Structures are given as C-alpha cells and as structure tokens.
Amino acid sequence: MKTLLSLLFAILLSISLKAQPGDEPDPSEKKIVKQKSVLLRTGDKADSLARAEVFTMFPNVGRLESYLDRKQLDQILALEKKGRDTDDPDAYLAELDPLLEGYVRQFGIRNFGENVSLLWLLGRTKERRGDTARAVMYYELAKIHNYGTPAPKLSLDSLLAVRESEWLPADKYFELLEVRRRIDSLIPPRPVLTSMGKRINSPDPDYAPFMHPSDSVMIFTSRRDTSGMRAAEYVDPFSQINEDLYYAEVDFMSGEWTYARRFSEEINSQYNEGSACLAPDGKTLFFTRCRTDGGYGDCDLYTADYNPVNNTWENIQNLGKNVNSSQWDSQPNVSADGKTLYFSSNRKGGFGGSDLYMSERVGDGWSPAQNLGPFINTPRDEVTPFFHKINNTLYFSSTGQITSFGGFDIYKSRWLDDHWERPKNVGPLVNKEDANQYYFAINGKGTTIFYANSNNPDEDHVRQNFDLYSFPMPMEARPDAITTLRGRLVDSVSGHALIGTVLIYDMEEEGVEVAPKITSDSGYYAFDLIGDRRYKIVVLGDNFLTVEREFVMKGDTTFSLMIKSFEINKPLVFESLEFRANSAKLSATLKPQLDYIVRFLQNYPMFKLVVEGHTDADGAAATNQTLSEDRARAIRDYLTLKGKFDPDRISSRGWGETQPIVPNDTEDNKRKNRRVEFKLVLDAEYDGDMFLPSEKELYFDKALDSKPDPEHDKEFDWGEEEAKAWEEELEGDEDLDLDKELEEDILRKAGEEEPVEEEEEETEEEGGGGRS
C-alpha cells in the first residue's frame, strides 16, 4: 500500500476539481428546445434558433409516495370531459392547461405509474396549445413510466414531424467505414476494445472498475480468490464470499499499469466486498459490503479512512440508515467536490427495479438519500452511476430509457444548477445492440471509458466471466461534448428535404469518433460536439453527390446544406483528358489519370462508364470521326484491362468534331477540343449501398494522388516491360513526327493508301496542318 499512499498524497491532492457550470437557458420567448435533438416550438409556431431547456420540477419526489387533491382532480377531469363533449374542444384548454400542469408538478413517485394518464393528457393539452417542447417532455415521461400497461394512441411520433436524427446502426456504420476507408484517408481506424492485460485481468471474473480522475489508480472487483472453495460454491456472489477489492497503479517510470494487488484484510473481510471508489482527495474509500452482521440490508455502503502514518485503512464505518436501506444498496460514486454521494438501490418507494439516489455530506454525516427523479429513474433498472467532473456529468446504465439499443445502455446527463438534463444515450459505438453495458468508469479527461466485457455474454450476470477493457470515448459520449451542431439537408432546386447519412470528423484530435447519423424524414440532423474545434462534415446519400465542408464550432451552430439532387437519367461528367494532335495513342503522361479512374470505378461499383472521344475541326470530318472513336476505344480497352472489369462495364463512342466545347479559332482552343470525356451512368442493375462520390472526386488531383494507398496500388502496378515502354514513349515525346503518326493511324484503320492522299490534299487546301 506504500505506493498507493505516495500516489494519493503526492498527486491526488494537487488535482483541480472545480466543476464547470451548466449553460444558462436562453430567455427568448421564441425558443428552440434541445429535446430529442430536434427543432421544437414553445409559445408560438415560429422556428427560430434560440436554445433553451424546458424542465418541470417535481418537488414531492422523495417526499411523498403519492399526491392526491380530490377537488382539483375532479375539476381537471370535468374540464377534460367538457372539452370532449363540445364542438369547440380548444375552448377549455386555456383553463385546463395551468390547472393540470400545476397538479402534475405535485406528483410523488407512485403518481407516475398510477396517474400516467394525466401525463398523456398534459402532453396532448400542450400539443394542442402549440407548446410542442413541453408536449414532448410530458409524452416522453408518460412513455417511460407507462411500463407494463398498454399505451394509448401516442401523438409523440406524429407530433415530431421534425424527428430527431438517428444513429446509423453499428453494423451499417462499420460497413460504411470499410467502404469509405478506401476513398477517404480521414476515416479514423475502427475503434476496438483493448484488454487491460494480464497485470489486471485474471482467469476469473473482474468487473466494476473505478478510475480516479488522476488516471493513475484503478480499483475494481474480482472473484479470483477461490482458495479453499469448490467451483460450484463461488458461482453466486450472494451465497459465497469471494468478492474482493483490488487496485492497480500507473508506474511513473514505465507508464504501464502495475500488477493488481488485493486491498488489505481491513477492507476485504470474510464477507463480499465490491464496487468501490475513492474520494477525489484520495483519503476516503467508499465500498460495498454484503451480508454482514449488523448490516441494514443485503448490501450496504461503507467508508474507510486512509492513515498515511501506518499505511493502513481504518475507521471502517457503515454509512448508516440515512444512506442504507433494508434492501440492496451498492455501486457508490462521489462528485468532484467530494460532497455528494451517488449510488444504486432497489429499496422500496422507488420507481421500480433499482433506482439511482444521492446523499449530501452534512458535517460528519450524510443527509437522507434522495431519489434522482423521473427523468433519470424509470420503472425498470438504473445502476452504476459515475459522476464526471467535466460539466457535472452523470453517467449511468439503464434498461428503461426510451432511446435504448436493448439491455443495459449507458446514458449521460448534466446537472444544470437545479435539474438533470434529459438523459442521452452515448451511442452505438459504446452501447451494443441487445447487449448489456454496465460496470464502467471514465478517465479524468473524458476520452477513455473502461468497462467489463464478458466472454460468455449469453450467461446470466453471475455466471459471466468479465474482463476489464478500455475503449476510446466517441465524441458525443464525452462529457465536454455539449455544443450542438444541428442543420437540415435541402434540395437546392425543389426545396424538398433530403434523406442522407451525416458523418462528422474531428480534424484536431486523431481517433475521436463521431458516430454517423441518419437525417430525419424532414432532413434534420443534430450532433453534440466539443466547441472551438475544426470539423469536417460529410453527407452521403442515394440521390446526391457526397458533400464535404469544413467548419469551426463556435457555440451552438446551425449548418444547413443546400444540395442539388442527382438526376438519375443525367450522367456525371468526369474530368476530361486532352490528347496530342492527330493521335489516338495513349501517352505515358495519361497513366496517373487513367489509373485514378480505375480506382474510382472500383470504389464506386454503382456506376458504369461511357468514354467519348472528340477532335478539333481541322482535317476531314470522316477522319476526325475515326480518330475520336480510336481515342475512346483505346482508353476503354486500357481501363477494362487494368481494372479487370466486365466488358459491359465500360463503353466507348466517338463524336469527331461535332461537339466542340470552345470555338476552333485558336491553337489553345483546338487543344481543348481534342479530348476524351468520361460520363458516369448509374447501373440500373446495381442493388448495393449507394454511397455516391463527392464533386471533387470527379477531378484528378496530382497533389492528392501523389501518395496513393500502397496496399491498394499494388494490384494496379504496371509490369516492368510496360512501364519501360511508357517511359520510352514519354522520353521521345518531343521528337514525334505528328504528321507521320497521323498517316500511320489512318493507314492502319483504312487499310489502303488512296484515302490518305485525299485527306492530305484536303487538309492542305484548308490550311490545316492536321492538328485534330
């Protein structure tokens, strides 16, 4: 324990733990409310962009089991009945609204289940009065606390014509990463769970990590000590006593974790101990001890004080009846100032299952535990609170919140002076579908999450063999990601909303993931990001070119994108290639551009390519037509060969001199008209994902292409003989006899000499010089 002592007093006492205050609500009368990440109205029907929090306090939660005022309730029900029986139901809303809301605000815990119909009614009343923000809030409370009974026809979904943008499912996200990785070097590597290694993990279950804000001490629970026990005896943690607390430290010299060590016998007694945390100053250990003599319930919360003189933990105390109950109390965590204790309990009088509670330090003791209320707690289970100092952010696991992937998901909620922010799911990169995520901790910077992952997740909780892992925190899961980017995708021609996938890249911190989202049916999207950073937004869709923009977040930002839809029957035009005069031969100088097109076609299999050749107007029209066809065919053959494409993937045709892009009145203009164009056409038979290219990808950029992916380019490398031939042609380019080359080309095509002589005479009469 000596090294633990040095850590606690040399480092922990010097840590600044001052919390950052939450944002103040915007006082504007026209408010856009940050609920479900959508644009909502309060007060009128204007869609301004002011930001506010709408919140209803329930002061009786934790004070009264149930609130009842029969006289007020009868008056509410009578007004509601009059509204249903009249031809003008809105006539009673002005009277019903304040009376009903005032009554609901007095709810005790039991009212949320027993009187959930009043929550539905209040949501509907707010909706009919145009206060959509509060309507959503009450509808969501009703939906959460309606557990176990059929819900009435819910207006919530139809109310949110502007729905929140949804995360791209994790499997689709990783598919997208693989597709985009070949194209966009900004895609960060796929994040993976990293095992904490053999110095911390054991062959037996290791779980319930706690990471001190210094990032130098980890405490966790382990069932590794099975000495003197039979295997059948240590399966159930409530029947046997082999749950113990362990700790590991970061070695100052190597920067690696030391081997895990067991806490002393003062902490690890003959009973089960687990789920511990250190106070910010490192002087007090909070932990759980179960089935003890003289305890209050199945498991109770205890504290122990560290004595630096004797290098021991002493003064071990039960936190008493203000904190502990006759049921299960566990998983303690303390706030950044050390004055507030958070924990989980399944005591009577909660919302159902296990709830989260808090208790504040008062002198040498603790205040009576308070339920965290109906926004945090649900009729199901809330467990493993973790309070982070950045922005006073509470993380916890829940099975009852609306936005769930299944099982226990991790959520975050900030304390905003007098209320908890609506909990937000931290996203699919952390929360896996139909799996349980709990027993977690977060490092001091909020950049890494540590949690227990099971190698046999299909087993029940007690039989799962957990190990501890680390994982980079996705952007929206971080406690400092509180600046909102929201916007809308709109077709610039029709004005209609567009549906697409929105990706955000952090341009300043490598490896920080921002989980992609799918825009709502109305084209809206919203992200919580870290402020004062540069980001790139990439929008993918089935019917518009990929859009890429860079921006700097300076406070909450609205970033609307006007996009032109892709016209199915109108081809995209690739960058043109210019040819030497009079020649259909491929020059070595064209190789990089042609190889770029090969890679493009491989990256975007939904396209077919049409190669079209053009000439200037010098020379005979028939000759120019033949030359244009030859040019297009030569490129088609090269692309097909190099890309190993099906023969029908690329087609060619020649237009001769019939489609100039500029007048043929100068040598420079004639050069521009001697070209090959590439037109991309959607393959009608393609049925894969439609990730269309960005506009810039239709142009070859030598600077960007100077460092191609080496693994990708290997399959496109030319053989030594072919490369040498190209180099020789390039070296001799200045000495080419263009007139002779033209003659050879035409002789090869026509197969006879006479037409060539006629062509030469004709071009001389026109003063041509043969520069097609």
Side-chain angles (χ1 to χ4, degrees):
M1 293 296 295
K2 189 173 182 179
T3 53
L4 179 61
L5 170 65
S6 64
L7 175 68
L8 298 181
F9 289 92
I11 296 181
L12 303 187
L13 292 177
S14 66
I15 298 174
S16 173
L17 298 172
K18 185 176 181 181
Q20 301 178 20
D23 294 338
E24 294 294 330
D26 192 303
S28 171
E29 294 183 359
K30 298 180 180 179
K31 299 175 180 178
I32 293 299
V33 182
K34 193 177 178 185
Q35 297 282 347
K36 289 183 72 63
S37 300
V38 298
L39 303 184
L40 301 173
R41 299 187 299 275
T42 59
D44 63 20
K45 296 182 178 181
D47 275 347
S48 66
L49 291 175
R51 175 175 178 264
E53 290 290 344
V54 170
F55 184 83
T56 296
M57 298 291 291
F58 296 97
N60 284 333
V61 168
R63 298 177 186 175
L64 298 177
E65 284 191 14
S66 184
Y67 172 79
L68 175 63
D69 186 319
R70 177 56 64 184
K71 182 178 179 180
Q72 279 189 336
L73 184 57
D74 289 343
Q75 187 179 359
I76 289 169
L77 297 178
L79 283 172
E80 193 272 335
K81 185 177 186 302
K82 287 181 180 179
R84 285 188 284 110
D85 294 342
T86 182
D87 293 333
D88 185 16
D90 293 344
Y92 295 92
L93 291 180
E95 186 178 358
L96 175 63
D97 187 3
L99 185 64
L100 178 58
E101 186 166 31
Y103 189 88
V104 167
R105 288 189 181 207
Q106 300 304 314
F107 271 12
I109 288 179
R110 286 176 54 189
N111 291 110
F112 286 88
E114 295 174 349
N115 302 115
V116 69
S117 60
L118 294 182
L119 293 173
W120 297 121
L121 178 59
L122 184 52
R124 191 159 56 247
T125 300
K126 292 293 184 183
E127 177 188 358
R128 288 161 62 184
R129 298 201 73 195
D131 191 347
T132 61
R134 287 182 176 85
V136 168
M137 180 184 69
Y138 288 117
Y139 277 140
E140 288 190 336
L141 278 174
K143 193 170 184 178
I144 289 173
H145 294 278
N146 202 64
Y147 176 62
T149 59
K153 186 176 181 180
L154 182 61
S155 299
L156 178 61
D157 291 339
S158 59
L159 168 66
L160 295 177
V162 180
R163 298 187 183 184
E164 71 173 341
S165 52
E166 298 180 353
W167 279 295
L168 193 69
D171 57 343
K172 292 293 184 182
Y173 168 62
F174 291 129
E175 288 178 11
L176 172 61
L177 273 186
E178 293 305 315
V179 171
R180 295 295 298 174
R181 191 190 311 277
R182 302 195 303 265
I183 305 163
D184 194 335
S185 60
L186 290 174
I187 295 287
R190 173 175 173 171
V192 294
L193 284 172
T194 302
S195 172
M196 295 297 293
K198 294 181 178 180
R199 295 188 176 190
I200 292 179
N201 289 316
S202 72
D204 298 293
D206 304 291
Y207 49 97
F210 167 79
M211 177 66 69
H212 194 274
S214 66
D215 298 340
S216 298
V217 178
M218 173 179 280
I219 299 174
F220 62 97
T221 306
S222 179
R223 301 176 64 79
R224 64 187 64 185
D225 184 3
T226 59
S227 57
M229 301 177 65
R230 297 190 307 272
E233 293 180 329
Y234 56 84
V235 171
D236 185 350
F238 295 109
S239 65
Q240 297 300 327
I241 49 176
N242 74 315
E243 270 191 310
D244 290 324
L245 291 174
Y246 290 75
Y247 70 95
E249 307 164 60
V250 173
D251 184 274
F252 291 125
M253 298 297 292
S254 67
E256 297 181 352
W257 289 100
T258 62
Y259 283 94
R261 283 168 284 190
R262 190 175 181 271
F263 272 82
S264 64
E265 296 300 330
E266 294 91 351
I267 300 299
N268 289 317
S269 68
Q270 59 181 316
Y271 306 103
N272 279 334
E273 283 81 25
S275 296
C277 72
L278 275 175
D281 62 7
K283 295 180 180 180
T284 304
L285 180 73
F286 295 80
F287 65 99
T288 306
R289 181 173 282 173
C290 298
R291 297 289 181 92
T292 65
D293 295 333
Y296 290 89
D298 290 334
C299 293
D300 285 358
L301 299 180
Y302 288 75
T303 59
D305 297 328
Y306 187 70
N307 186 334
V309 177
N310 299 324
N311 191 29
T312 59
W313 292 100
E314 54 189 38
N315 192 28
I316 297 175
Q317 293 186 348
N318 186 300
L319 284 181
K321 62 181 180 180
N322 277 356
V323 173
N324 292 309
S325 70
S326 61
Q327 304 298 312
W328 172 83
D329 301 285
S330 185
Q331 301 165 350
N333 192 266
V334 290
S335 62
D337 59 9
K339 297 180 180 179
T340 305
L341 172 69
Y342 300 92
F343 62 97
S344 182
S345 175
N346 65 356
R347 65 187 62 192
K348 294 179 180 179
F351 286 94
S354 56
D355 283 3
L356 299 185
Y357 291 80
M358 61 176 287
S359 178
E360 296 181 320
R361 183 179 289 279
V362 180
D364 293 332
W366 295 88
S367 67
Q370 292 180 304
N371 190 290
L372 292 192
F375 289 94
I376 299 294
N377 292 313
T378 73
R380 297 192 180 184
D381 292 305
E382 281 68 47
V383 295
T384 57
F386 187 94
F387 190 89
H388 203 285
K389 65 180 181 178
I390 297 179
N391 292 318
N392 295 328
T393 306
L394 178 69
Y395 291 84
F396 63 97
S397 292
S398 172
T399 59
Q401 293 288 334
I402 293 177
T403 55
S404 173
F405 294 97
F408 278 98
D409 277 8
I410 299 174
Y411 296 81
K412 71 172 184 176
S413 175
R414 290 180 297 159
W415 177 250
L416 300 178
D417 295 332
D418 61 356
H419 68 274
W420 291 106
E421 183 182 40
R422 175 185 175 271
K424 299 175 182 177
N425 192 302
V426 299
L429 298 183
V430 172
N431 293 319
K432 305 300 186 292
E433 189 171 355
D434 297 326
N436 292 317
Q437 280 73 44
Y438 47 82
Y439 286 148
F440 66 91
I442 299 167
N443 71 341
K445 294 181 179 180
T447 57
T448 304
I449 185 170
F450 303 85
Y451 62 87
N453 189 59
S454 175
N455 60 12
N456 55 337
D458 294 333
E459 295 287 343
D460 60 52
H461 165 69
V462 270
R463 291 175 175 82
Q464 291 184 47
N465 189 3
F466 290 101
D467 274 345
L468 297 177
Y469 291 79
S470 65
F471 187 89
M473 282 284 272
M475 175 70 74
E476 288 201 289
R478 289 173 53 158
D480 50 355
I482 61 173
T483 304
T484 299
L485 168 73
R486 53 167 68 91
R488 194 178 184 217
L489 305 182
V490 180
D491 188 287
S492 60
V493 177
S494 67
H496 296 158
L498 295 174
I499 308 299
T501 301
V502 183
L503 303 91
I504 305 290
Y505 300 152
D506 183 354
M507 304 295 285
E508 297 185 13
E509 186 170 343
E510 183 179 357
V512 173
E513 292 278 357
V514 183
K517 291 187 176 180
I518 303 171
T519 61
S520 71
D521 293 342
S522 298
Y524 285 101
Y525 57 88
F527 291 86
D528 287 339
L529 305 175
I530 299 172
D532 298 318
R533 285 176 180 260
R534 178 172 293 279
Y535 296 92
K536 172 180 280 192
I537 183 170
V538 177
V539 186
L540 312 174
D542 290 355
N543 60 344
F544 56 85
L545 290 179
T546 297
V547 177
E548 299 183 10
R549 300 283 191 278
E550 287 194 21
F551 63 97
V552 176
M553 284 290 289
K554 294 290 185 182
D556 289 356
T557 301
T558 300
F559 200 92
S560 294
L561 293 172
M562 305 297 290
I563 301 169
K564 185 175 180 181
S565 295
F566 178 72
E567 299 178 42
I568 299 300
N569 295 322
K570 184 177 180 180
L572 299 176
V573 179
F574 224 116
E575 182 184 24
S576 300
L577 297 180
E578 296 176 359
F579 264 72
R580 294 199 308 268
N582 304 330
S583 179
K585 289 184 177 180
L586 297 181
S587 167
T589 57
L590 301 181
K591 178 183 181 295
Q593 289 94 321
L594 296 179
D595 286 352
Y596 180 83
I597 294 175
V598 168
R599 291 196 297 273
F600 181 96
L601 291 174
Q602 291 208 333
N603 289 332
Y604 295 102
M606 66 286 299
F607 285 113
K608 288 187 174 183
L609 182 68
V610 179
V611 184
E612 298 184 344
H614 301 268
T615 69
D616 60 28
D618 289 351
T623 303
N624 289 336
Q625 178 64 35
T626 300
L627 188 57
S628 67
E629 293 172 357
D630 288 350
R631 288 172 174 173
R633 187 181 299 109
I635 287 183
R636 179 202 66 189
D637 293 344
Y638 174 79
L639 297 175
T640 301
L641 175 65
K642 289 302 173 184
K644 300 178 182 178
F645 300 122
D646 292 336
D648 63 348
R649 180 83 187 276
I650 304 174
S651 59
S652 65
R653 65 175 301 175
W655 293 98
E657 61 189 58
T658 62
Q659 295 186 0
I661 54 176
V662 291
N664 285 287
D665 52 4
T666 67
E667 287 303 316
D668 186 55
N669 283 353
K670 291 177 183 179
R671 178 183 56 80
K672 294 177 181 178
N673 286 330
R674 296 191 298 266
R675 70 196 189 279
V676 169
E677 293 180 346
F678 302 90
K679 294 184 177 179
L680 297 166
V681 181
L682 283 178
D683 185 350
E685 297 180 358
Y686 178 78
D687 59 358
D689 292 327
M690 293 289 290
F691 299 125
L692 301 185
S694 62
E695 187 175 356
K696 73 175 185 179
E697 288 179 88
L698 301 178
Y699 295 89
F700 172 73
D701 189 328
K702 292 183 179 179
L704 293 178
D705 205 62
S706 60
K707 297 180 180 179
D709 180 355
E711 295 298 322
H712 183 79
D713 253 21
K714 283 180 180 178
E715 56 185 294
F716 299 114
D717 285 347
W718 289 13
E720 293 184 4
E721 294 183 2
E722 187 176 29
K724 183 177 180 181
W726 278 93
E727 291 172 1
E728 290 176 352
E729 181 182 344
L730 181 61
E731 291 172 357
D733 195 34
E734 297 179 357
D735 301 327
L736 287 176
D737 185 339
L738 299 182
D739 290 333
K740 182 178 180 181
E741 189 177 85
L742 173 62
E743 180 179 344
E744 292 174 351
D745 286 339
I746 301 241
L747 281 172
R748 177 171 51 82
K749 288 296 177 186
E752 55 187 41
E753 186 172 345
E754 185 175 355
V756 177
E757 293 177 353
E758 294 177 358
E759 289 287 343
E760 290 179 343
E761 292 175 1
E762 185 174 343
T763 55
E764 288 175 0
E765 291 176 1
E766 295 175 357
R771 300 266 175 177
S772 292

